[in-house]
């Protein structure tokens, strides 16, 4: 069985959690749902980041120079070529392959230089403002354009991180690379970078500190909180996006005031973490909601149990276990819900799980039942195969019956597979230590494992 949502670090045996690394760990088969926000570079205390923002801005405004030199076709070609940056793996694509913008949309963007005199004369200070003027331009396009303008830096950054963490690199050919000296896009450029082991496509890292779910300057924020709707549009009618975009084109001052407002409040602009733990109070509430649930499936209790448990465990085990995903599967016509975690091996217990049972990932099977039965054990047993590993966990309401305890001991004796159960009482203890901050909830899982091993024959 292959890894679930394989990551670059897991594939190469880099046993560090996302919280320990400076860059966003990429998936092989899908994008990370975050985006590079150019405003974070502008707002950064790092002189390097500020210089990179200047690079992005100057490079974008170079298109205005080409237009004034009657080289519109060249400007369009450059903008089309830099409108997609699949190597960074950011966005919502399930295939890591995006689509470049068309020439028509590129021309519409470039027309802003001629249609709005201020941009023609002074250029853009934040190019992501094009979202407020042109339909179909959103955070993914802004992120990709920004990444392409500073791709040379990102390549050097990636190589440095690979050398630091012993991540293998291979010779690759990049389709496009923006040349800041010539202000042109070079093609078929050779480099050494990490690659997707399946497709052999190159991979480029991005610093976590640049990533947000939504850019600081974005259409939704402008429309909701700053667009002068009552004064301009009929408040009793739905406002079409195209009307707002056209209004902005004719009212540069309103957009400029919005930019000044966003700059003034820049202290509130922060990167978004790839994962955030829920607060202690929320953890306690989710635990109480779980304890109140009826056992079984009536009134959707099993689905509610899965939802609450997923949210709770993802936070309790962080950062020692990075949450991969929930996974549904069917075994003998029965629906089963699993939680999948990456094994970062950053504590002795998890390292032992990797060494003894070859678990690169950990599987938690959720069972809102009165008692675990033989069929449940058999199902989880069949799931514990390479590359997942031979260690699995039931999350269930009550301790295992004596017969099932004997069953899992026999499994360990015959196949060296380890199955333990986390119950309501264990969840209470996990939340208690999470609340106290004195110990890590992962130690409760370790305690259960030690108890199991003591019950096994020596």
């Amino acid at each position: 069985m292959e890894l679930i949502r394989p990551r670059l670090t897991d594939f190469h045996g880099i046993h560090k959690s996302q919280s320990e690394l400076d860059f966003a760990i990429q998936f092989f088969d899908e994008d990370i749902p975050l985006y590079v926000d150019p405003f974070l570079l502008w707002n950064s205390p790092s002189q390097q980041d500020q210089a990179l923002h200047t690079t992005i801005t100057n490079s974008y405004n170079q298109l205005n120079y080409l237009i004034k030199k009657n080289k519109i076709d060249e400007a369009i070609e450059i903008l089309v070529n830099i409108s997609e940056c699949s190597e960074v793996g950011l966005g919502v694509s399930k295939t890591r392959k995006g689509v470049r913008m068309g020439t028509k949309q590129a021309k519409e963007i470039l027309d802003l230089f001629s249609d709005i005199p201020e941009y023609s004369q002074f250029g853009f200070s934040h190019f992501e403002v094009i979202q407020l003027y042109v339909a179909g331009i959103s955070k993914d396009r802004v992120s990709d354009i920004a990444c392409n303008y500073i791709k040379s830096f990102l390549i050097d950054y990636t190589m440095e991180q690979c050398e630091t963490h012993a991540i293998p690199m291979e010779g690759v050919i990049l389709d496009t690379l923006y040349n800041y000296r010539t202000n042109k896009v070079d093609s078929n450029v050779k480099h050494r970078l990490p690659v997707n082991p399946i497709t052999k496509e190159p991979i480029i890292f991005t610093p976590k500190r640049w990533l947000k779910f939504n850019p600081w300057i974005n259409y939704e924020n402008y429309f909701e909180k700053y667009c002068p709707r009552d004064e301009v549009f009929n408040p009793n009618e739905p406002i079409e996006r195209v009307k707002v975009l056209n209004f902005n084109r004719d009212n540069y001052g309103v957009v400029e005031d919005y930019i000044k407002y966003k700059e003034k409040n820049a202290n509130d602009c922060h990167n978004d973490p790839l994962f955030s733990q829920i607060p202690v109070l929320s953890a306690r509430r989710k635990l109480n909601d779980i304890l109140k649930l009826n056992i079984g499936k009536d009134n959707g209790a099993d689905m509610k149990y899965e939802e609450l448990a997923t949210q709770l465990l993802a936070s309790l085990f962080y950062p020692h276990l990075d949450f991969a995903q929930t996974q549904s599967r069917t075994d003998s016509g029965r629906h089963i819900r699993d939680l999948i975690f990456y094994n970062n091996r950053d504590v002795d217990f998890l390292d032992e799980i990797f060494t003894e049972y070859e678990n690169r990932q950990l599987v938690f099977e959720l069972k809102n039942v009165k008692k675990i039965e033989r069929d449940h054990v058999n199902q989880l047993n069949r799931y514990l195969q390479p590359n997942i590993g031979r260690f699995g966990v039931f999350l269930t309401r009550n301790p295992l019956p004596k017969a099932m305890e004997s069953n899992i001991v026999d499994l360990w004796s015959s196949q060296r597979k380890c199955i333990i159960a986390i119950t309501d009482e264990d969840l209470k203890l996990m939340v208690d230590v999470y609340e106290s901050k004195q110990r890590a909830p992962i130690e409760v899982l370790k305690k259960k494992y030690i108890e199991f091993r003591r019950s096994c024959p020596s």
Side-chain angles (χ1 to χ4, degrees):
M1 183 175 295
E2 298 298 323
L3 287 174
I4 307 300
R5 293 185 82 204
R7 302 185 303 178
L8 177 79
T9 49
D10 303 292
F11 181 84
H12 291 299
I14 312 301
H15 307 298
K16 292 191 176 182
S17 65
Q18 178 62 86
S19 62
E20 297 177 277
L21 296 172
D22 185 69
F23 62 92
I25 303 175
Q26 293 200 25
F27 299 110
F28 288 143
D29 54 2
E30 60 184 277
D31 285 343
I32 305 169
L34 286 167
Y35 307 87
V36 168
D37 183 359
F39 196 91
L40 284 171
L41 281 76
W42 178 88
N43 194 44
S44 171
S46 164
Q47 185 175 0
Q48 180 187 67
D49 289 359
Q50 294 173 22
L52 288 170
H53 184 270
T54 300
T55 297
I56 294 171
T57 304
N58 289 348
S59 298
Y60 187 79
N61 287 329
Q62 173 69 16
L63 298 173
N64 185 31
Y65 171 81
L66 293 176
I67 293 171
K68 290 182 176 180
K69 292 292 184 179
N70 294 318
K71 297 181 178 180
I72 182 66
D73 290 340
E74 183 177 337
I76 289 175
E77 183 180 4
I78 290 174
L79 188 54
V80 169
N81 282 331
I82 65 170
S83 63
E84 174 59 33
C85 190
S86 59
E87 298 97 337
V88 297
L90 302 175
V92 293
S93 172
K94 294 298 182 181
T95 61
R96 286 183 58 102
K97 280 290 185 182
V99 179
R100 292 176 178 175
M101 70 170 64
T103 56
K104 180 180 178 181
Q105 188 177 53
K107 185 177 185 307
E108 188 177 357
I109 294 171
L110 294 174
D111 283 345
L112 296 175
F113 284 114
S114 54
D115 292 347
I116 301 175
E118 289 81 0
Y119 293 139
S120 177
Q121 184 176 358
F122 303 111
F124 288 81
S125 58
H126 298 279
F127 92 92
E128 60 268 36
V129 79
I130 61 177
Q131 299 170 86
L132 307 186
Y133 296 111
V134 180
I137 300 299
S138 58
K139 53 193 176 184
D140 56 339
R141 194 66 78 192
V142 166
S143 175
D144 284 339
I145 293 173
C147 287
N148 269 309
Y149 274 135
I150 56 174
K151 190 186 284 187
S152 290
F153 168 83
L154 291 176
I155 289 171
D156 292 341
Y157 172 80
T158 301
M159 295 173 67
E160 178 186 11
Q161 292 295 317
C162 286
E163 291 171 359
T164 299
H165 300 290
I167 299 173
M169 293 182 285
E170 299 181 16
V172 299
I173 297 178
L174 299 173
D175 292 338
T176 58
L177 181 63
Y178 187 81
N179 189 322
Y180 185 64
R181 289 184 176 180
T182 63
N183 293 301
K184 296 180 183 294
V185 177
D186 297 332
S187 58
N188 299 323
V189 181
K190 295 181 179 180
H191 265 289
R192 285 187 61 79
L193 287 168
V195 301
N196 184 316
I198 300 172
T199 65
K200 295 300 180 180
E201 294 289 332
I203 291 174
I204 295 177
F205 299 158
T206 48
K208 293 187 299 185
R209 66 182 183 273
W210 297 351
L211 303 183
K212 284 183 70 65
F213 292 114
N214 288 296
W216 184 241
I217 296 170
N218 66 81
Y219 174 86
E220 287 73 19
N221 173 258
Y222 167 80
F223 178 75
E224 179 184 353
K225 298 184 177 180
Y226 208 85
C227 181
R229 286 175 285 181
D230 291 344
E231 296 89 338
V232 179
F233 303 105
N234 186 340
N236 298 318
E237 295 180 0
I239 305 174
E240 297 178 5
R241 188 181 186 117
V242 65
K243 290 184 178 179
V244 176
L245 300 178
N246 289 336
F247 167 81
N248 292 342
R249 284 173 174 264
D250 296 331
N251 293 272
Y252 165 82
V254 174
V255 174
E256 185 64 13
D257 286 345
Y258 169 69
I259 299 302
K260 291 178 180 178
Y261 170 80
K262 299 299 282 187
E263 290 182 346
K264 182 179 179 182
N265 292 275
N267 289 337
D268 296 329
C269 179
H270 306 287
N271 68 301
D272 290 321
L274 278 76
F275 178 80
S276 297
Q277 289 176 286
I278 59 176
V280 169
L281 184 59
S282 295
R284 179 66 61 182
R285 286 172 177 166
K286 291 187 186 303
L287 171 65
N288 291 335
D289 288 343
I290 287 174
L291 299 178
K292 292 175 185 175
L293 281 174
N294 293 327
I295 292 176
K297 299 183 178 181
D298 291 347
N299 299 317
D302 56 338
M303 300 299 292
K304 190 63 176 176
Y305 180 74
E306 294 167 0
E307 178 185 347
L308 292 167
T310 299
Q311 297 168 0
L312 185 58
L313 288 185
S315 285
L316 292 180
F317 289 140
Y318 182 82
H320 305 295
L321 294 175
D322 282 332
F323 179 62
Q325 69 174 20
T326 56
Q327 170 143 311
S328 298
R329 59 191 170 94
T330 301
D331 196 328
S332 301
R334 300 179 65 180
H335 176 78
I336 306 167
R337 175 75 69 177
D338 306 308
L339 301 186
I340 311 294
F341 288 89
Y342 300 109
N343 185 1
N344 296 320
R345 296 176 60 187
D346 61 346
V347 294
D348 57 351
F349 159 61
L350 294 175
D351 190 55
E352 181 176 344
I353 295 303
F354 177 85
T355 303
E356 293 290 328
Y357 306 101
E358 301 177 328
N359 278 79
R360 299 165 70 184
Q361 296 183 319
L362 269 67
V363 180
F364 287 69
E365 187 172 313
L366 310 184
K367 290 295 181 184
N368 185 36
V369 295
K370 185 175 182 179
K371 62 179 181 179
I372 294 295
E373 298 178 349
R374 188 175 300 275
D375 284 348
H376 301 142
V377 175
N378 291 340
Q379 288 163 357
L380 182 52
N381 175 36
R382 287 193 293 270
Y383 201 40
L384 300 182
Q385 305 290 336
N387 290 327
I388 294 295
R390 302 188 310 277
F391 177 91
V393 182
F394 281 119
L395 183 69
T396 189
R397 307 302 298 272
N398 300 308
L400 297 181
K402 293 294 183 182
M404 292 305 101
E405 287 183 353
S406 177
N407 192 354
I408 62 174
V409 168
D410 290 342
L411 264 178
W412 185 87
S413 299
S414 62
Q415 302 181 37
R416 285 299 186 266
K417 289 185 178 180
C418 178
I419 294 176
I420 63 176
I422 298 297
T423 67
D424 284 357
E425 290 301 315
D426 298 319
L427 277 183
K428 289 179 187 178
L429 182 56
M430 285 184 181
V431 173
D432 286 343
V433 298
Y434 182 64
E435 192 172 31
S436 69
K437 303 296 182 183
Q438 298 300 310
R439 306 185 75 176
I442 194 73
E443 294 189 34
V444 178
L445 191 63
K446 176 181 178 180
K447 169 179 172 290
K448 298 289 289 190
Y449 170 68
I450 292 173
E451 291 173 353
F452 168 78
R453 286 300 303 263
R454 287 173 178 169
S455 68
C456 295
S458 57

